[in-house]
């Protein structure tokens, strides 16, 4: 288990990068992207379907909720320095 401050820093960095990447890729403004206090919310403007990605301090994971595929958790991988789910897929 990592120190709580380290977990928060890693989450903040990952979620900020993800938020920026999504906003930059949304060339046609089809998404409403909002990041605040460890919670990244992505709304498909046309359908109002919502993705939520946030830090889960209790188990030191990033939680992902999709209106299409359901929920998933990502743990920080010390070897690759990124967030991976149980199958090895990157956040």
């Amino acid at each position: 288990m990592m120190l709580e401050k380290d977990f928060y820093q890693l989450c903040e960095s990952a979620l900020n990068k993800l938020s920026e990447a999504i906003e930059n890729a949304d060339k046609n403004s089809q998404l409403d992207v909002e990041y605040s206090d460890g919670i990244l919310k992505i709304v498909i403007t046309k359908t109002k379907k919502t993705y939520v990605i946030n830090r889960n301090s209790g188990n030191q994971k990033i939680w992902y909720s999709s209106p299409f595929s359901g929920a998933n958790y990502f743990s920080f991988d010390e070897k690759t320095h990124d967030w991976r789910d149980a199958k090895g897929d990157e956040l």
Side-chain angles (χ1 to χ4, degrees), residues 9-85:
Q9 288 174 344
L10 289 168
C11 282
E12 186 70 17
S13 175
L15 293 173
N16 269 321
K17 285 179 186 175
L18 186 58
S19 175
E20 288 175 16
I22 291 167
E23 286 181 342
N24 289 337
D26 184 26
K27 303 291 185 206
N28 298 322
S29 299
Q30 296 179 9
L31 303 173
D32 180 19
V33 180
E34 180 182 321
Y35 178 67
S36 177
D37 196 29
I39 301 170
L40 174 58
K41 184 176 169 185
I42 306 149
V43 179
I44 302 169
T45 52
K46 187 175 184 179
T47 64
K48 303 297 183 211
K49 292 192 182 288
T50 304
Y51 293 85
V52 177
I53 305 168
N54 69 310
R55 66 175 179 250
N56 188 311
S57 301
N59 61 11
Q60 292 195 340
K61 295 184 179 195
I62 290 180
W63 177 75
Y64 166 87
S65 174
S66 162
F68 302 100
S69 63
N72 200 357
Y73 286 93
F74 295 81
S75 299
F76 187 73
D77 186 323
E78 294 283 338
K79 293 178 185 171
T80 60
H81 295 281
D82 57 18
W83 295 86
R84 303 261 172 189
D85 68 8

